[in-house]
């Protein structure tokens, strides 16, 4: 069996077929084309072939130095700098940052990591893939390789990394709402009473202000959404670059069908004053952005935890991925925690 790895900085033609061979939407072309530019570093597409047939695909980023976002910085991960829903034990020793960069970061947009291709379920082939990735990293003079945000369901990839000898690092969970109910009444009844009553109270309060709640077409309210998105980023001292956020909106509108862009909003006098924006990918609705003005207080809850659920039911969605952070709030509204794992190793050139 001859195993070869090819790396390119642009998406290879084989990727479409590799992505179609797995159920993970995060490896899909439209997701990567839409959200990929928000990842730090330069893209690297790694395709492993067995006897000339493409079997495994990995999406990686080449990082010359520590990125500004700590969630993609392996040094920050190793130091335990990432947020956590529970107290964690800090590591006894952490390598110096200089010993980690340049770095190969294997990850996907939306804090996820999975392999594409028919070989993604074969631990033995994945183990050969990791050996090939290590050899390629040596040739590129990388100092470390990391796989971040691998969900629990990616057990073959986790097993291969463990057998390869990669160091497991503690990350945090993402929040997923299984759509195990058939109606909004059923959904609301499964919520804690205080959360259910809060949603009802907020809906009444918004109605008293002549504000309406429902789905809208993103293309028609794009500018309102952009301004609210930038305002939220500024509020939390995040990078609020207008060109970056504007381009991301345009990519959503380009790569996703109208019915797959789930835009739930609170409107007042024809203007969006609060919103939650998600993208449907197969049986999953992935929530992404939100924002609101002060006079529309409560919009976050009614658009995110009520209107988005209604929209998901109407589309036959099976799960809503709420993403990471704000764990208590999301679990209070029905989500379950799914642990994400990270793995890293230092490139030594010994062939492992």
């Amino acid at each position: 069996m001859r195993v070869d790895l090819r790396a390119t900085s642009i998406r290879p033609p084989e990727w479409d077929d590799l992505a179609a061979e797995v159920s993970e939407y995060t490896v899909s072309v439209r997701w990567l084309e839409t959200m990929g530019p928000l990842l730090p570093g330069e893209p690297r597409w790694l395709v492993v072939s067995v006897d000339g047939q493409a079997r495994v695909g990995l999406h990686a980023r080449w990082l010359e130095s520590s990125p500004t976002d700590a969630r993609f910085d392996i040094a920050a991960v190793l130091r335990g700098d990432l947020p956590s829903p529970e107290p964690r034990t800090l590591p006894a020793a952490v390598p110096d940052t200089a010993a980690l960069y340049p770095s190969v970061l294997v990850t996907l947009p939306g804090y996820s990591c999975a392999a594409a291709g028919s070989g993604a379920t074969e631990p033995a082939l994945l183990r050969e893939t990791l050996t090939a990735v290590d050899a390629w990293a040596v040739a590129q003079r990388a100092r470390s390789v990391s796989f971040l945000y691998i969900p629990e369901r990616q057990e073959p990839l986790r097993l291969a990394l463990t057998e390869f000898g990669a160091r497991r690092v503690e990350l945090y969970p993402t929040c997923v709402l299984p759509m195990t109910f058939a109606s909004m009444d059923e959904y609301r009844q499964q919520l804690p009473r205080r959360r259910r009553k809060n949603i009802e109270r907020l809906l009444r309060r918004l109605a008293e202000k002549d504000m309406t709640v429902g789905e809208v077409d993103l293309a028609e309210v794009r500018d309102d959404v952009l301004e609210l998105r930038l305002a939220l980023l500024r509020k939390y001292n995040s990078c609020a670059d207008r060109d970056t956020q504007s381009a991301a909106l345009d990519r959503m509108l380009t790569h996703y069908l109208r019915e797959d862009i789930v835009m739930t909003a609170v409107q007042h006098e024809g203007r969006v004053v609060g919103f939650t924006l998600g993208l449907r990918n197969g049986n999953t609705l992935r929530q992404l952005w939100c924002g609101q003005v002060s006079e529309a207080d409560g919009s976050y809850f009614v658009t995110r935890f009520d209107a988005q659920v209604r929209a998901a039911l109407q589309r036959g969605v099976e799960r809503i991925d709420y993403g990471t952070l704000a764990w208590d709030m999301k679990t209070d509204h029905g989500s379950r925690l799914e642990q994400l794992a990270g793995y890293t190793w230092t490139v030594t050139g010994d062939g492992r």
Side-chain angles (χ1 to χ4, degrees):
M1 180 175 70
R2 190 181 82 257
V3 177
D4 300 305
L5 181 145
R6 181 166 61 90
T8 66
S9 58
I10 59 174
R11 177 166 52 89
E14 303 98 317
W15 192 271
D16 299 62
D17 292 334
L18 290 170
E21 291 172 341
V22 296
S23 60
E24 290 289 331
Y25 76 84
T26 50
V27 304
S28 67
V29 171
R30 69 174 186 171
W31 177 256
L32 286 164
E33 291 294 329
T34 300
M35 305 303 296
L38 298 177
L39 289 172
E42 300 175 1
R44 294 292 187 273
W45 305 78
L46 311 178
V47 174
V48 169
S49 298
V50 177
D51 297 331
Q53 179 183 357
R55 295 290 312 284
V56 178
L58 296 171
H59 185 71
R61 314 299 285 196
W62 178 265
L63 299 172
E64 285 286 350
S65 58
S66 301
T68 55
D69 189 337
R71 289 174 290 182
F72 298 108
D73 179 7
I74 189 57
V77 172
L78 291 172
R79 288 195 302 267
D81 289 351
L82 300 190
S84 173
E86 299 177 356
R88 63 173 50 154
T89 301
L90 297 181
V94 176
D96 181 74
T97 299
L100 300 171
Y101 290 92
S103 176
V104 177
L105 171 63
V106 182
T107 195
L108 294 163
Y111 306 104
S112 180
C113 185
S118 59
T121 59
E122 302 176 22
L125 179 52
L126 290 173
R127 175 67 172 76
E128 293 293 329
T129 295
L130 297 176
T131 299
V133 169
D134 184 66
W136 172 76
V138 169
Q140 302 302 306
R141 300 185 182 278
R143 293 178 176 172
S144 67
V145 177
S146 302
F147 285 64
L148 292 185
Y149 305 108
I150 307 177
E152 295 174 10
R153 59 185 176 274
Q154 291 293 321
E155 187 57 32
L157 181 56
R158 289 187 177 201
L159 177 61
L161 283 158
T162 299
E163 293 179 346
F164 182 72
R167 173 185 177 182
R168 178 165 173 151
V169 291
E170 186 175 358
L171 295 178
Y172 46 58
T174 190
C175 299
V176 174
L177 174 67
M179 302 287 287
T180 56
F181 40 86
S183 69
M184 288 300 295
D185 285 342
E186 286 185 26
Y187 165 66
R188 288 174 177 169
Q189 285 302 314
Q190 76 176 20
L191 299 180
R193 186 176 184 276
R194 62 187 178 85
R195 286 300 187 188
R196 182 172 67 251
K197 293 299 182 182
N198 186 54
I199 291 291
E200 294 170 353
R201 179 182 60 83
L202 291 173
L203 287 169
R204 287 195 304 269
R205 192 167 69 184
L206 292 170
E208 289 167 358
K209 296 180 180 180
D210 294 323
M211 295 182 180
T212 59
V213 182
E215 280 197 67
V216 297
D217 188 337
L218 175 60
E220 296 178 359
V221 297
R222 177 194 180 282
D223 292 344
D224 286 350
V225 169
L226 178 59
E227 294 305 322
L228 290 174
R229 167 68 172 168
L230 293 171
L232 183 71
L233 291 173
R234 296 187 194 104
K235 177 180 179 180
Y236 291 102
N237 298 316
S238 298
C239 179
D241 181 78
R242 179 178 295 275
D243 290 343
T244 297
Q245 302 302 316
S246 179
L249 276 174
D250 289 341
R251 290 194 301 271
M252 293 179 199
L253 291 166
T254 297
H255 295 294
Y256 279 79
L257 299 174
R258 179 177 177 178
E259 59 266 28
D260 290 335
I261 301 175
V262 184
M263 175 70 193
T264 54
V266 174
Q267 291 181 287
H268 181 59
E269 296 180 348
R271 180 171 68 99
V272 172
V273 293
F275 79 95
T276 295
L277 171 61
L279 296 175
R280 182 179 69 170
N281 297 273
N283 66 354
T284 301
L285 171 58
R286 178 60 162 92
Q287 290 197 359
L288 295 171
W289 293 1
C290 61
Q292 66 179 40
V293 298
S294 57
E295 60 264 33
D297 185 43
S299 296
Y300 173 84
F301 293 95
V302 300
T303 60
R304 193 171 183 85
F305 299 115
D306 200 72
Q308 287 269 316
V309 175
R310 185 183 299 278
L313 278 171
Q314 293 170 347
R315 289 167 169 80
V317 165
E318 297 178 9
R319 49 184 269 153
I320 300 178
D321 187 344
Y322 279 97
T324 62
L325 306 181
W327 295 281
D328 289 346
M329 184 185 304
K330 293 170 182 175
T331 54
D332 263 4
H333 287 87
S335 291
R336 298 175 183 173
L337 298 181
E338 292 190 0
Q339 189 64 40
L340 302 174
Y343 294 83
T344 186
W345 73 85
T346 301
V347 175
T348 62
D350 59 6
R352 302 186 70 85

